[in-house]
């Protein structure tokens, strides 16, 4: 049986550190959304955010709804091209009353989240913030900073904990750097 652990060059963030990161982010969000009328909607960006989102939502104490969007960006598997297309949209009539927190696995060029924030604000959301597990600031191509950042990482291609390379490796329980001969 193929073992995906063997395709990992080294572990960057182990399961214990992931739990610490998620707890810290959940506490930050809880404290910012503590008001009676603040029940945010966590909007996960499919598919990479799924593992992070399911851990984050269970670590949060503030009441939150969940929803999902899916986007595609054309390009090869390791380099996004910058064109963002919405493949699955929110289907909610009452966006103007909603405070949205977009949940992302990793920010690279910044184009996906920058686009989604302005898209949701244009649809009338009351507020839109973003939380990302990982951030690669060295790779930024547009001016964008998430409100909540789990961990800044160097410019390497990472897999696991929801993140994929060519749709593989999402099920690994840690974040690791992929072996260069596997790309
Ligand atoms: P951005 O629009 O360039 O910020 O791209 C963000 C998206 O690129 C993420 O949601 C991931 O799908 C993908 N991505 C960027 N870097 C990595 C990586 O190191 N591993 C896996 N996916 C990545």
């Amino acid at each position: 049986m193929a073992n995906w652990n063997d395709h990992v060059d080294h572990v960057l963030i182990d399961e214990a550190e992931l739990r610490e990161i998620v707890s810290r982010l959940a506490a930050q969000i809880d404290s910012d959304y503590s008001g009676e009328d603040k029940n945010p909607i966590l909007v996960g960006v499919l598919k990479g955010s799924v593992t992070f989102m399911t851990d984050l939502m269970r670590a949060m104490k503030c009441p939150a709804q969940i929803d999902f969007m899916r986007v595609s960006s054309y390009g090869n598997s390791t380099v996004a091209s910058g064109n963002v297309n919405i493949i699955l949209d929110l289907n909610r009539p009452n966006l103007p009353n909603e405070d949205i927190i977009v949940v992302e696995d990793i920010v690279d060029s910044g184009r996906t989240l920058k686009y989604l924030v302005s898209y949701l604000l244009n649809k009338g959301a009351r507020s839109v913030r973003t939380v990302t597990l990982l951030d690669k600031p060295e790779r930024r191509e547009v001016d964008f900073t998430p409100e909540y950042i789990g961990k800044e990482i160097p410019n390497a291609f990472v897999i696991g904990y929801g993140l994929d390379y060519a749709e593989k490796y999402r099920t690994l329980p840690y974040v690791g750097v992929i072996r260069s001969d596997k790309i």
Side-chain angles (χ1 to χ4, degrees):
M1 188 171 62
N3 184 347
W4 278 347
N5 294 290
D6 296 340
H7 298 200
V8 173
D9 186 85
H10 59 278
V11 174
L12 197 63
I13 311 177
D14 64 17
E15 292 171 70
E17 188 178 356
L18 284 166
R19 278 194 293 275
E20 283 170 27
I21 291 170
V22 168
S23 307
R24 173 173 50 79
L25 292 172
Q28 284 173 5
I29 292 171
D30 280 344
S31 114
D32 289 353
Y33 290 80
S34 59
E36 269 297 299
D37 60 333
K38 287 236 172 130
N39 301 329
I41 307 174
L42 298 174
V43 174
V45 184
L46 293 171
K47 305 175 196 170
S49 71
V50 163
T51 319
F52 172 46
M53 172 128 153
T54 55
D55 282 348
L56 181 71
M57 68 195 217
R58 286 176 294 171
M60 286 170 53
K61 294 193 177 63
C62 101
Q65 298 180 30
I66 66 162
D67 220 320
F68 293 95
M69 293 182 74
R70 187 160 183 206
V71 300
S72 73
S73 51
Y74 292 106
N76 69 37
S77 293
T78 59
V79 184
S81 69
N83 295 319
V84 180
N85 289 287
I86 292 181
I87 299 174
L88 174 71
D89 203 348
L90 295 181
N91 186 11
R92 286 179 177 260
N94 212 13
L95 226 44
N97 295 324
E98 306 294 3
D99 296 303
I100 291 178
I101 304 175
V102 182
V103 182
E104 179 65 300
D105 52 356
I106 187 165
V107 182
D108 190 57
S109 72
R111 290 183 193 279
T112 304
L113 282 188
K114 192 176 173 104
Y115 178 81
L116 281 180
V117 169
S118 68
Y119 179 82
L120 291 167
L121 286 172
N122 276 334
K123 282 187 96 172
R126 182 163 59 190
S127 72
V128 183
R129 289 184 175 183
T130 57
V131 54
T132 186
L133 175 69
L134 305 172
D135 188 11
K136 288 197 230 176
E138 277 172 55
R139 299 258 309 161
R140 205 66 97 251
E141 292 169 15
V142 293
D143 182 22
F144 179 79
T145 309
E147 280 78 11
Y148 308 99
I149 297 171
K151 187 168 184 171
E152 288 190 2
I153 63 166
N155 180 14
F157 199 83
V158 290
I159 52 174
Y161 197 67
L163 290 116
D164 75 310
Y165 172 71
E167 292 298 333
K168 294 186 285 189
Y169 310 116
R170 295 191 197 274
T171 53
L172 291 173
Y174 54 82
V175 174
V177 174
I178 192 168
R179 263 172 45 189
S180 53
D181 62 312
K182 294 295 172 194
I183 292 185

